[in-house]
Amino acid sequence: MLFDTHVHLNADQFDEDVEEVITRAKETGVEYMVVVGFDEKTINRALELVQTYDFLYAAVGWHPVDAIDMNDDHLGWLEELSAHPKVVALGEMGLDYHWDKSPKEVQKDVFRKQIRLAKKVKMPIIIHNREADQDIVDILKEEEAKEVGGIMHCFGGSVEIARECLEMNFHISLGGPVTFKNAKRPKQVAREIPIERLLIETDCPYLAPHPYRGKRNEPAYVKLVAEQIAELKEMDYEEVAKQTTKNAKKLFRLSL
């Protein structure tokens, strides 16, 4: 039993064959998935998918790259959607200093607003972080995000940053990069962070694990992430699958 905590089956890359992709995931042992929406189009598509498949759940938020496009109406919409029975988290939200579409100060403002909303509606949050480790940690502390906790999605930071996040009630989620030969940080994090605080994900269609690196990622490949973590932690694969699924169910408050 596997729980892919971060998929984008709502992406254009799956328009032609989403049913087949979901079938392959189920055949590989993926029991549950969270479809993450991060703007109007992807949120609406996520909601369509979770209403079609009973084993899919949704997260809704506003991506930092598009922070400049977000307004108060969008924030109100997210608050409304938080009451949807299949919405289990807010996000992805955070900071992305790689792309320059949205100014840093705008990103920070939108990030803070979403954290405050999560505290208001009492939902965990999913954090997107690209080249912004310290600012992410500082804002999570200043906004007391520990109150709701959540996920450091596709974590690529150091063990030290990971431990700071654990102290703030966050889980560390690892994806395809943990399988890359040169990915020292994710491998070190996999070894040193307790299995009780780890989650697995694909972030599909992005970041496909080895040996599919560079190709379209899909939820079935989350098994490769679990297998790599099991190898790094010198644990049985079945135990990694079982514990990471248990962690996800608890975080998302799913009594499945």
Side-chain angles (χ1 to χ4, degrees), residues 24-255:
R24 282 195 292 273
K26 295 290 280 184
E27 289 172 348
T28 308
V30 183
E31 295 286 330
Y32 308 103
M33 300 169 242
V34 172
V35 184
V36 179
F38 52 82
D39 59 17
E40 280 191 63
K41 178 183 175 180
T42 58
I43 288 170
N44 282 318
R45 181 71 178 125
L47 294 173
E48 290 172 13
L49 284 164
V50 303
Q51 287 162 351
T52 304
Y53 299 93
D54 60 357
F55 49 85
L56 296 183
Y57 295 86
V60 297
W62 214 265
H63 199 286
V65 170
D66 300 311
I68 199 165
D69 300 324
M70 187 185 181
N71 58 43
D72 288 342
D73 288 342
H74 292 132
L75 197 66
W77 184 45
L78 293 179
E79 183 170 355
E80 288 175 23
L81 292 179
S82 70
H84 190 291
K86 295 296 290 289
V87 171
V88 295
L90 294 183
E92 58 190 283
M93 65 179 76
L95 301 174
D96 191 313
Y97 292 169
H98 183 76
W99 306 106
D100 59 4
K101 177 183 173 184
S102 295
K104 290 181 181 179
E105 292 310 310
V106 173
Q107 291 189 40
K108 290 176 182 178
D109 181 58
V110 167
F111 185 21
R112 290 180 188 275
K113 285 178 177 176
Q114 291 184 88
I115 296 171
R116 291 167 192 168
L117 173 59
K119 290 167 66 177
K120 179 180 178 182
V121 300
K122 297 179 171 58
M123 294 195 90
I125 57 179
I126 298 175
I127 304 300
H128 172 102
N129 170 19
R130 192 163 185 188
E131 300 171 15
D133 285 1
Q134 197 56 54
D135 283 354
I136 288 273
V137 169
D138 290 346
I139 288 173
L140 290 175
K141 286 179 179 176
E142 289 164 11
E143 295 295 335
E144 298 182 341
K146 183 177 184 177
E147 192 177 308
V148 290
I151 302 173
M152 305 307 293
H153 143 64
C154 210
F155 188 78
S158 66
V159 170
E160 291 72 26
I161 292 287
R163 287 186 176 133
E164 283 194 74
C165 295
L166 294 186
E167 290 174 7
M168 292 189 287
N169 196 24
F170 281 80
H171 287 68
I172 304 299
S173 185
L174 297 174
V178 77
T179 69
F180 300 166
K181 290 181 180 178
N182 59 348
K184 294 179 181 177
R185 277 182 161 187
K187 291 182 189 296
Q188 188 180 8
V189 166
R191 289 189 189 99
E192 297 196 29
I193 298 305
I195 188 65
E196 293 78 14
R197 303 297 296 279
L198 286 179
L199 299 170
I200 56 174
E201 65 169 272
T202 54
D203 195 23
C204 64
Y206 318 107
L207 294 174
H210 176 79
Y212 301 103
R213 189 173 184 180
K215 298 179 181 178
R216 185 187 73 168
N217 199 2
E218 58 178 79
Y221 300 162
V222 79
K223 183 177 183 182
L224 298 169
V225 175
E227 288 174 343
Q228 179 67 77
I229 292 171
E231 183 180 325
L232 290 165
K233 295 187 90 63
E234 299 180 351
M235 293 176 64
D236 290 336
Y237 162 77
E238 289 79 9
E239 184 57 31
V240 170
K242 180 180 177 182
Q243 186 63 52
T244 53
T245 296
K246 181 180 178 182
N247 297 345
K249 287 181 179 180
K250 183 178 180 182
L251 175 68
F252 296 129
R253 303 183 193 122
L254 297 173
S255 53

